[in-house]
Amino acid sequence: MPHLRIHFTDADLARTRLKLEADLMWEVVGSVQALQYAAGGLSFGSWRRRVRERVGEDGCLRAAVHSLVTVAPHASYFPDFLTPSAAVPDIGTGAELVLATPRRRLRAEIRRLRPAGGAAKTWLEELADGKAAALRHLERALRVYFRCLVEPHLDVIEQALRIGCAAGVQRYLHAGPEGLLGWLGPATRWGPPVLTVDYPIDRDLFLAGRGLVLIPSYFGVHHPVALADPRLPPVLVVPLHAGARLLAGRRGGDHVSALLGATRATILRSAVTGCTTTRLARQAGVAPATVSHHTNVLRDAGLITTDRHENLATHLITPLGLAVLGPGGG
């Protein structure tokens, strides 16, 4: 498998940070690509069905989806200008930043695309040339698409980001930037001074003192993504694990027991105030050896931590575990 190798210096480690709020433009692009392949079906199956229904009923939305699929294909390359590095508090600002892309850069990035032909190819050519009508069409597509298909889900997206990032924040607090880089998931491997990422193409990215912004993405479901142009401010967009999306979208019922099983749910709830293994065994009604098995699983999932002092182990819930329990304590 090809890899992206991201090369760090000590200065890069010091400047590496985790973005905790949703990046609207990366979510737009990620969701457009999520429409083009079937990965993450359990998380996105119902969303894709609603998209198909709305597209069938709304010609403006259908045109917006078609345009964005054209300019952001699910491929090894899509244009960097669609995901500006500046802060994007709303879709209006995002669209303005996209349209403000210098014409030379716009032309170079769009011409790397390989559309099949027809009207899509003609529109991309006009967009590459900076034609006003083509730019207005892209702006309208971004606004309509976001308003219809992303904005209604922002609460769930933000909640999933909080759940998904809690363990990363804890790793950063306990082990610094290197702990954070070691948390990113099975598609990444941290071997100082290089972060190796499973990737569609083989490439190297030298940070050269600029640091790295890690951007968790709700709609990123395939693999981590970096900008194609190494001269741009470096980012790595990291897909949230499926559990964070599923937990964020859950409503009603004893979702914790349904997800973890009754014994692990009891242990997780008991760990809110900190519990020894013996006490957990008594509360869950199982043997201490069985508790140890369950706490190992919960700890590996980032839901609890264990503090050991001599022969005493105390288990305490993490922010991610609290997020799993939800506002009402699960």
Side-chain angles (χ1 to χ4, degrees):
M1 171 179 284
H3 295 102
L4 165 66
R5 292 170 295 276
I6 304 177
H7 299 261
F8 286 74
T9 64
D10 289 344
D12 293 312
L13 281 173
R15 295 186 176 111
T16 292
R17 65 183 182 88
L18 177 66
K19 186 172 185 178
L20 296 177
E21 65 276 9
D23 188 301
L24 300 186
M25 301 310 292
W26 276 107
E27 295 301 345
V28 167
V29 171
S31 65
V32 169
Q33 298 196 338
L35 287 175
Q36 300 175 62
Y37 63 103
L42 188 60
S43 303
F44 298 125
S46 61
W47 177 77
R48 288 190 181 105
R49 285 192 295 273
R50 287 195 295 272
V51 172
R52 286 194 293 269
E53 291 170 0
R54 295 205 61 179
V55 164
E57 301 166 352
D58 187 333
C60 289
L61 178 58
R62 184 163 57 250
V65 170
H66 183 267
S67 297
L68 295 183
V69 165
T70 299
V71 76
H74 176 231
S76 59
Y77 170 80
F78 61 85
D80 291 330
F81 72 82
L82 293 171
T83 53
S85 58
V88 177
D90 53 66
I91 191 60
T93 301
E96 289 174 4
L97 288 169
V98 168
L99 265 62
T101 304
R103 296 296 175 259
R104 187 172 182 178
R105 177 184 168 190
L106 190 71
R107 184 178 303 109
E109 292 189 9
I110 290 177
R111 287 185 175 171
R112 290 185 61 182
L113 295 171
R114 296 289 180 267
K121 183 176 181 180
T122 300
W123 175 65
L124 283 179
E125 289 173 347
E126 293 176 350
L127 193 60
D129 290 336
K131 297 291 182 65
L135 290 167
R136 285 196 302 271
H137 182 81
L138 176 59
E139 179 184 20
R140 184 165 58 252
L142 288 168
R143 289 176 180 272
V144 169
Y145 182 95
F146 178 83
R147 186 172 61 250
C148 294
L149 302 182
V150 177
E151 189 172 37
H153 304 281
L154 279 182
D155 286 346
V156 171
I157 290 171
E158 293 284 3
Q159 184 183 359
L161 289 173
R162 288 193 294 272
I163 294 171
C165 292
V169 171
Q170 288 296 306
R171 289 289 293 273
Y172 182 84
L173 292 175
H174 286 94
E178 293 196 67
L180 181 60
L181 293 172
W183 159 79
L184 295 177
T188 64
R189 289 162 296 285
W190 172 240
V194 177
L195 180 68
T196 302
V197 183
D198 295 343
Y199 217 65
I201 60 173
D202 204 56
R203 60 175 288 204
D204 289 272
L205 174 59
F206 293 89
L207 300 179
R210 296 172 294 171
L212 182 68
V213 179
L214 301 168
I215 303 177
S217 174
Y218 180 87
F219 280 106
V221 295
H222 194 48
H223 58 76
V225 177
L227 294 170
D229 188 343
R231 297 168 297 181
L232 294 172
V235 303
L236 185 68
V237 181
V238 184
L240 285 181
H241 60 80
R245 292 193 296 267
L246 292 172
L247 286 169
R250 224 179 227 289
R251 294 290 185 272
D254 186 1
H255 65 276
V256 181
S257 294
L259 180 72
L260 301 176
T263 300
R264 286 180 193 161
T266 298
I267 291 172
L268 185 63
R269 292 186 182 101
S270 299
V272 170
T273 55
C275 272
T276 63
T277 301
T278 302
R279 186 179 173 192
L280 287 177
R282 186 166 58 251
Q283 293 185 354
V286 296
T290 302
V291 166
S292 295
H293 167 71
H294 289 307
T295 54
N296 285 339
V297 173
L298 293 171
R299 186 167 52 251
D300 289 343
L303 302 181
I304 65 170
T305 59
T306 299
D307 179 36
R308 302 185 186 279
H309 180 68
E310 296 180 350
N311 293 326
L312 189 66
T314 302
H315 309 281
L316 185 65
I317 198 166
T318 66
L320 177 58
L322 287 170
V324 170
L325 292 182

